[in-house]
Amino acid sequence: MQPIHEQATTNLLICFDESGKNSSDPIQLMGALSIPLNIYMHPNFNTFHALNQEFSFHWTKYGGDSKIAKGIEQLFEQALPLAEYMNFNMIRYASSVLNSQAQNVFKDIYKPKKTIVDKTIYTKLPERICYGLVRGYGVHNDVQAKILIEESSEYRSRNLDSMLKEALNIHSLYRGENFVITECGYRSKGEEIGIEFIDIFLGIVGIILTCPSYKEISGKKQAKVELVLKLLKQNKLQPFLKNLRLFELQQFNQLIEANVEASIKLFIAKNYEEFISL
């Protein structure tokens, strides 16, 4: 007689967002973080959650304002004890490449082509990102996950919440996985600190990947580079970057894992004078 193994349950929180929605943006990223819910909600981290009451977090608006910079620094400092429990999954893609493929493959079927491109981006990519965060916990561990998405008319118009929940649960059943998505919903800006964190983290990863030279840029972008260098100098980003898996959607729509550590080294090397002067 086979021994009976008691099933353990892991409750996960997943926070999803994206950066660079427009095809003209230098980099387009989608990503999510996952963390055990009981750790995320532990009273030890009340000060982390309370940051929403003091600061407004939005990476695209940051251009050197001292209060916003202080808030971002506090965000990573307060989250440091959580870093070892966090996992991150991101996909870098180019909507212009998908548009070009759609023009060739679907030229007589979809008019306009933007319809099929949007559905590709907002169905397959979120599904792949979140799937990577809920799988692989073993046959004796049931995972129950709650997904939170920043409130957006773009997401609502595409029914991203219900689509993502159903697609992942179908995936779980089809592949015999031990996870279930119990909830997938929206949260307003400033309501959930986990969503603010992934918003800022996506923006920071985008800066590292594009690797601009501080001396060759100005304005908001220069302020962003300086802040990222400062956070790296203080070792406030590395514990989170260590738990990041980054994939690039390349030719023939293959997801190829990127070397994040190499990108960090290149970013620092390109801005080394500014880095050592901080």
Side-chain angles (χ1 to χ4, degrees):
M1 183 176 178
Q2 294 294 323
I4 297 173
H5 296 280
E6 185 179 347
Q7 292 290 104
T9 300
T10 299
N11 291 290
L12 289 181
L13 176 70
I14 295 174
C15 295
F16 172 89
D17 204 358
E18 64 180 317
S19 177
K21 298 179 183 181
N22 302 315
S23 58
S24 59
D25 289 323
I27 188 167
Q28 295 173 292
L29 283 171
M30 273 190 184
L33 69 82
S34 71
I35 184 169
L37 192 58
N38 66 311
I39 296 177
Y40 176 77
M41 296 303 298
H42 195 277
N44 282 355
F45 306 112
N46 284 345
T47 53
F48 174 60
H49 290 269
L51 288 172
N52 264 337
Q53 299 168 22
E54 187 177 355
F55 300 101
S56 177
F57 299 100
H58 206 301
W59 183 251
T60 59
K61 291 182 180 179
Y62 177 65
D65 181 275
S66 59
K67 183 172 182 181
I68 298 176
K70 181 182 177 183
I72 293 171
E73 290 179 51
Q74 286 282 317
L75 182 70
F76 284 92
E77 187 174 312
Q78 294 288 341
L80 276 175
L82 293 166
E84 62 181 307
Y85 306 107
M86 286 180 168
N87 287 310
F88 301 89
N89 212 4
M90 295 184 187
I91 293 178
R92 179 181 182 177
Y93 68 98
S95 59
S96 58
V97 173
L98 293 171
N99 269 306
S100 177
Q101 292 176 0
Q103 291 291 344
N104 294 328
V105 177
F106 301 113
K107 59 184 178 180
D108 298 322
I109 300 174
Y110 291 100
K111 298 178 182 179
K113 307 299 181 295
K114 188 176 185 299
T115 302
I116 189 62
V117 172
D118 276 1
K119 287 187 176 180
T120 300
I121 292 170
Y122 287 101
T123 55
K124 294 308 296 180
L125 299 192
E127 178 189 330
R128 292 297 297 270
I129 288 164
C130 294
Y131 178 62
L133 293 171
V134 293
R135 65 185 295 271
Y137 279 82
V139 295
H140 303 306
N141 203 342
D142 290 328
V143 173
Q144 295 186 7
K146 174 181 178 180
I147 301 175
L148 299 181
I149 306 165
E150 186 174 307
E151 178 69 50
S152 166
S153 59
E154 293 174 315
Y155 295 150
R156 282 195 178 274
S157 66
R158 295 176 173 95
N159 297 314
L160 182 59
D161 56 342
S162 57
M163 179 282 301
L164 190 53
K165 179 181 178 181
E166 183 176 49
L168 285 167
N169 284 334
I170 289 172
H171 216 53
S172 177
L173 183 61
Y174 176 72
R175 291 185 175 271
E177 299 276 4
N178 284 8
F179 72 81
V180 59
I181 309 302
T182 59
E183 178 187 340
C184 187
Y186 305 106
R187 293 295 184 272
S188 299
K189 186 70 182 169
E191 186 178 346
E192 190 63 57
I193 196 66
I195 292 176
E196 309 307 317
F197 191 93
I198 191 64
D199 173 87
I200 299 295
F201 195 51
L202 279 163
I204 286 172
V205 171
I207 288 289
I208 292 171
L209 293 179
T210 53
C211 200
S213 169
Y214 183 85
K215 292 183 174 68
E216 297 173 4
I217 55 177
S218 60
K220 284 186 175 183
K221 197 163 189 179
Q222 195 174 61
K224 287 180 170 71
V225 169
E226 184 175 6
L227 181 55
V228 175
L229 288 170
K230 184 178 180 181
L231 291 168
L232 287 169
K233 184 75 174 286
Q234 296 172 344
N235 204 37
K236 289 181 179 176
L237 292 180
Q238 287 86 337
F240 303 98
L241 291 164
K242 183 181 70 174
N243 292 333
L244 166 63
R245 296 193 71 185
L246 172 68
F247 298 88
E248 295 182 339
L249 191 63
Q250 296 185 350
Q251 192 176 12
F252 308 117
N253 294 336
Q254 290 181 307
L255 284 174
I256 307 298
E257 189 161 7
N259 187 333
V260 178
E261 187 177 348
S263 295
I264 297 165
K265 290 177 180 177
L266 184 62
F267 174 70
I268 292 174
K270 199 168 185 179
N271 299 284
Y272 190 63
E273 290 299 327
E274 289 71 30
F275 181 72
I276 60 176
S277 67
L278 291 168

